[in-house]
Amino acid sequence: MRLSALALTVALALPTAAPAQILPPLPALDETPAQRAARRAAMTPPVPQEDEALQAAVASPARPAVDVARDAHRRPFETLTFWGLTPGATVVEIEPGPTGWWRNILKPYAAATGGTYVAVNRPLEGMGVADGGADMVVVARTFHNWRRSGRTEPYLAAIFRALRPGGVLAVEQHRSADGLNPDQTALTGYMPESHIIQAARAAGFELDARSELNANPADDRDHPYGVWTLPPTRLAAPRTGNPGDRPTPLTEAERAAFDAIGESDRMTLRFRKPAG
């Protein structure tokens, strides 16, 4: 079995599931390491189902080696299982990016199971499916860009229309400390978890579950060039036109220290469009 014990999740009850559990509080701005450890220890693991087609898609030799090297940080099998991916699903991914890290798993999986994968870069110009035609919409590491350009509300509205009743909005996002101004954190690539939850709820979604699958306690979110200082981008010098960047480049010792952190601390959320 390829199921990770790292999946720490608290889920709200589905219509056919056990009685609802109370979600733990979001991380506080002044949360200490001991408090963070206690909060995560209180979360209970999910009960994922094996999916041989998904295992095969993740293990496929066709995936680029650079993608596979990141699996330890992004846990694709466990994350997609947590989101509730099922064979034959119609999955829309918003802004998959030039390398298509999730696309390189989701598209072959859809082909193998009779499902559909759709990549959408401009949701306001069309979602690639009829209204109510998507089972899942994946949004990974892009809410900070939406915040900076005022796209959060219209994009979430487009996603809501595209999903069928009961469909899933799957979110992976670099996570700042809670209580910070999202306009400021967006400049660094991080977003407060409470902001994402509030924005999704305002669009009509219900928070179905939160997971610490992609948490990284080594990431203090205080980096010279934002989240892009960390792998995989690994910026080592300030960017032109980014006054928030430190004006000096990294030393070799700093580069090694940031590489040792690994990828960012991330929230992993599952929202659902109400079934009724």
Side-chain angles (χ1 to χ4, degrees):
M1 294 176 66
R2 194 185 172 281
L3 299 180
S4 169
L6 295 174
L8 301 177
T9 305
V10 175
L12 295 173
L14 303 180
T16 58
Q21 295 176 303
I22 298 174
L23 286 170
L26 294 172
L29 180 61
D30 58 350
E31 182 180 56
T32 66
Q35 289 171 330
R36 176 185 292 186
R39 174 174 55 81
R40 289 173 175 169
M43 302 179 84
T44 55
V47 184
Q49 301 296 315
E50 292 287 0
D51 184 333
E52 292 182 359
L54 181 55
Q55 290 176 326
V58 171
S60 171
R63 289 183 66 207
V66 67
D67 283 14
V68 175
R70 299 178 65 195
D71 284 1
H73 298 287
R74 299 192 70 177
R75 302 172 182 84
F77 179 82
E78 294 85 353
T79 299
L80 289 167
T81 300
F82 164 75
W83 282 335
L85 181 66
T86 55
T90 295
V91 179
V92 176
E93 184 180 5
I94 307 299
E95 298 176 344
T99 61
W101 195 89
W102 282 116
R103 179 183 61 221
N104 292 337
I105 297 171
L106 290 168
K107 188 173 182 179
Y109 175 81
T113 64
T116 301
Y117 170 83
V118 182
V120 173
N121 288 308
R122 297 179 178 85
L124 300 186
E125 297 179 9
M127 287 290 293
V129 296
D131 288 355
D135 297 298
M136 177 180 289
V137 176
V138 175
V139 179
R141 302 174 177 233
T142 191
F143 269 96
H144 55 285
N145 292 324
W146 298 0
R147 179 71 182 190
R148 295 170 68 176
S149 56
R151 290 178 287 167
T152 304
E153 290 77 10
Y155 275 22
L156 285 174
I159 291 169
F160 190 87
R161 289 192 298 271
L163 280 166
R164 63 170 174 80
V168 168
L169 166 60
V171 174
E172 175 197 13
Q173 174 63 41
H174 312 297
R175 176 170 55 189
S176 74
D178 224 52
L180 298 179
N181 183 341
D183 289 330
Q184 295 299 316
T185 65
L187 300 175
T188 70
Y190 293 91
M191 293 294 289
E193 189 168 343
S194 61
H195 169 76
I196 305 301
I197 293 172
Q198 291 166 4
R201 283 174 167 165
F205 290 99
E206 297 173 346
L207 177 62
D208 196 42
R210 292 166 50 213
S211 174
E212 292 293 289
L213 260 173
N214 293 301
N216 181 358
D219 180 15
D220 65 4
R221 305 107 162 180
D222 184 15
H223 315 311
Y225 323 116
V227 72
W228 304 282
T229 312
L230 300 179
T233 306
R234 302 181 70 247
L235 284 182
R239 297 160 291 175
T240 302
N242 286 272
D245 284 2
R246 192 181 78 181
T248 56
L250 298 183
T251 65
E252 290 186 9
E254 287 176 323
R255 176 70 274 160
F258 285 119
D259 285 347
I261 291 172
E263 297 200 23
S264 67
D265 178 65
R266 276 157 288 128
M267 65 187 86
T268 308
L269 306 174
R270 185 174 73 229
F271 296 94
R272 201 171 289 275
K273 182 175 179 177

